[in-house]
Amino acid sequence: AGGNGLFFLSGLNTPTQIQHHFHAYVALSAVCIVLAAISVPAGQRAGSNARRRLHRELIASVLQNSIYFFQSVPLGRIMNRLSVDVAVVDKKIAATSQKLLQFILLCLCAVLINSVVTPYFILLTIPICGIYYWVQKFYRASSR
């Protein structure tokens, strides 16, 4: 009846159970780290594909215009518009989408690890997610 009170509270009574949970935690943490590491090249590739697609579509739409368009609009304005759009995709969208993907993976992994290690975590997570959804829905509606 001696020993650490934490074992009594967590339901872990034997060192084998503790070791099993520790190995599960380490394995899930390793999977999450690998997924986070994969998200960086995936984000870079997605950004590269977006840049290529945007550039192709922009050039195609400009080249479909009539001769009058090229006579009335200065070439510098056309080039500036194309370079600004591609620069936005290069600097903003790729980095933002990469960070979003990484954040989603890390959050899902954190929830997964906590749910496996402590199943009662789910009982608290579901109401908190509901409250968060309601608050952000209210905030979005009131901020417009």
Side-chain angles (χ1 to χ4, degrees), residues 7-130:
F7 291 145
F8 174 74
L9 293 175
S10 65
L12 300 173
N13 296 324
T14 65
T16 305
Q17 288 175 328
I18 295 170
Q19 189 174 15
H20 171 72
H21 285 289
F22 179 73
H23 288 305
Y25 181 77
V26 168
L28 287 171
S29 296
V31 167
C32 292
I33 290 169
V34 169
L35 286 176
I38 289 173
S39 73
V40 172
Q44 292 296 324
R45 183 174 173 99
S48 174
N49 290 341
R51 287 189 295 271
R52 213 173 292 123
R53 181 178 174 195
L54 177 69
H55 187 69
R56 258 189 267 125
E57 290 178 7
L58 284 172
I59 293 295
S61 67
V62 167
L63 293 178
Q64 289 176 354
N65 286 318
S66 66
I67 295 294
Y68 176 74
F69 172 78
F70 291 104
Q71 290 174 343
S72 61
V73 177
L75 185 60
R77 186 177 295 168
I78 296 170
M79 295 299 292
N80 187 30
R81 185 72 231 169
L82 291 175
S83 65
V84 168
D85 288 345
V86 172
V88 166
V89 172
D90 282 349
K91 294 179 182 171
K92 302 282 183 183
I93 295 177
T96 303
S97 63
Q98 181 180 350
K99 288 177 187 175
L100 175 67
L101 177 64
Q102 195 170 23
F103 177 73
I104 289 172
L105 286 174
L106 288 174
C107 285
L108 289 176
C109 288
V111 169
L112 178 69
I113 289 170
N114 286 321
S115 298
V116 169
V117 173
T118 310
Y120 294 114
F121 175 76
I122 297 171
L123 295 175
L124 292 175
T125 303
I126 293 172
I128 290 172
C129 287

